[in-house]
Amino acid sequence: MTWRTWRALIASLAVLIGLTAAGASPAFAGLDGPVAATLDQHCGTDTVRSGTTTTTVPVDRVTLNLEAFGHDPANSKIIAVYTIPGTSKYGTLFGQFDPVRGNVTFNYTVDNPPADSTLNLSYEVVWTDGTYYNNTLPQALLHCTLANTSAAVDWGSYSSTTVFQQCTTIVRSIGGRPAWVRAEDVTVHLSHDPFDAPRFAGQRVWTDYWIPGHKGYTSGASGTADSTGDVWLTFRLIAPPTGAELDILSSVSDGPTHTDPAHKWVTINC
C-alpha cells in the first residue's frame, strides 16, 4: 500500500461513517496495527458573534486520544470524523502519531448538542508499510445546555492531575517600546497511587495545553517522574483570555511501548 491509497481509504471511511449514521452496525477492520483509543466529553459554552450581536451557546467539547499500541507510530496518517445520526452535525480532523510519544489527540466542539443523541467517532490509521486500522466508537452525546455546563464524561487515567495558577506580569516589547503584559504561570502536578508508581517512576511526561477558539495543542513543558511517579511541570500563558477554559493534556510514558493520557479542564483565573 502506498500513500496514493490514502484518498481511497478516506473514501472507505466516509462509507463507514455513512453506514453508522444510517443505523448499521459499526464496522471494524485492521491489519497488524491495533490502536488504543480514549474518549471524553466536557460541557461548556462558546460566544458566537454575528455583526454587533453576540450569543452564548452550549457546547460539548469532545476529545479523542489515539495511541499506536503495538505498532511503530512513525510514518502514519490519520483521519478522525464524528457524526451524530439524524442531524447534519459532523467534524473531520487529520493528524498523525507523534513518533516519540506514540499518540495523537483530536478536539471537536459540538454546538447545541441535541438531547438523547448518539455520538459516532470513526477513525482510520494508515502506515507507509501497508498497515491500516479503522474503528467506530459509538457513545451517548452529552446534552449540554446553558443550565448544564458542568456535565462531563472522563476517559479515566492512572494519573491524577492537579493544576495551580499564579498570576504575574512580564515586560514585552510592543511597537518597539517595553510594556507590562499580564501573564499566568500554570503548574501541573501529576501523581500516582503507590501501587502504580513503579510503572511511572523515571518515565518521561509531556504536558500540552489548548484554549478553545485557538489553534490545536501548544507544547507546555516536559519532564521526568520521580521515584514515586510524581512530576511537576510549569508553563506560561501570555495575556490569556480571563475566564476562558484551559484544556491540559498530559502524556505519561508507561514504559517503552505505552503512553497514558491524563486530561484536565480548568478555568483561567488571571
Side-chain angles (χ1 to χ4, degrees):
M1 184 182 298
T2 66
W3 284 122
R4 282 179 290 185
T5 316
W6 179 235
R7 291 184 180 178
L9 288 173
I10 291 176
S12 71
L13 182 58
V15 172
L16 164 66
I17 294 169
L19 289 173
T20 304
S25 299
F28 301 89
L31 286 175
D32 305 323
V35 175
T38 46
L39 172 67
D40 77 1
Q41 300 179 64
H42 166 80
C43 285
T45 59
D46 273 351
T47 299
V48 179
R49 291 181 175 84
S50 178
T52 59
T53 304
T54 60
T55 305
T56 300
V57 298
V59 297
D60 184 356
R61 304 199 196 283
V62 180
T63 303
L64 172 67
N65 183 274
L66 301 176
E67 181 189 6
F69 194 67
H71 192 286
D72 183 356
N75 302 315
S76 63
K77 286 191 176 183
I78 305 169
I79 177 175
V81 182
Y82 85 79
T83 58
I84 302 172
T87 77
S88 60
K89 295 180 182 294
Y90 72 94
T92 304
L93 291 173
F94 299 87
Q96 60 189 35
F97 291 119
D98 183 286
V100 177
R101 308 182 201 187
N103 63 358
V104 63
T105 306
F106 301 95
N107 277 316
Y108 306 89
T109 297
V110 183
D111 62 333
N112 293 303
D116 302 321
S117 293
T118 298
L119 173 72
N120 286 327
L121 262 168
S122 299
Y123 60 89
E124 184 144 36
V125 185
V126 185
W127 281 273
T128 53
D129 66 2
T131 302
Y132 72 91
Y133 181 82
N134 62 41
N135 201 351
T136 296
L137 307 174
Q139 71 169 20
L141 181 72
L142 285 182
H143 184 212
C144 306
T145 67
L146 293 180
N148 178 30
T149 60
S150 61
V153 177
D154 296 325
W155 59 38
S157 173
Y158 290 104
S159 305
S160 176
T161 305
T162 307
V163 178
F164 305 90
Q165 302 178 59
Q166 177 67 50
C167 300
T168 186
T169 55
I170 62 173
V171 177
R172 300 195 76 181
S173 177
I174 299 179
R177 297 182 179 181
W180 289 100
V181 177
R182 180 174 50 85
E184 174 177 292
D185 289 333
V186 180
T187 298
V188 179
H189 176 216
L190 288 106
S191 60
H192 299 88
D193 292 334
F195 179 80
D196 295 315
R199 295 166 44 200
F200 297 97
Q203 299 292 346
R204 292 292 306 278
V205 180
W206 300 266
T207 293
D208 304 324
Y209 67 89
W210 174 62
I211 300 173
H214 294 223
K215 291 184 177 180
Y217 283 105
T218 299
S219 178
S222 63
T224 303
D226 64 17
S227 60
T228 68
D230 279 24
V231 62
W232 296 77
L233 301 171
T234 300
F235 57 87
R236 174 167 288 176
L237 303 177
I238 308 299
T242 304
E245 290 184 302
L246 178 65
D247 173 14
I248 298 174
L249 175 72
S250 299
S251 299
V252 187
S253 179
D254 184 8
T257 62
H258 181 49
T259 300
D260 179 56
H263 206 196
K264 186 76 171 182
W265 283 94
V266 297
T267 301
I268 296 175
N269 292 335
C270 303

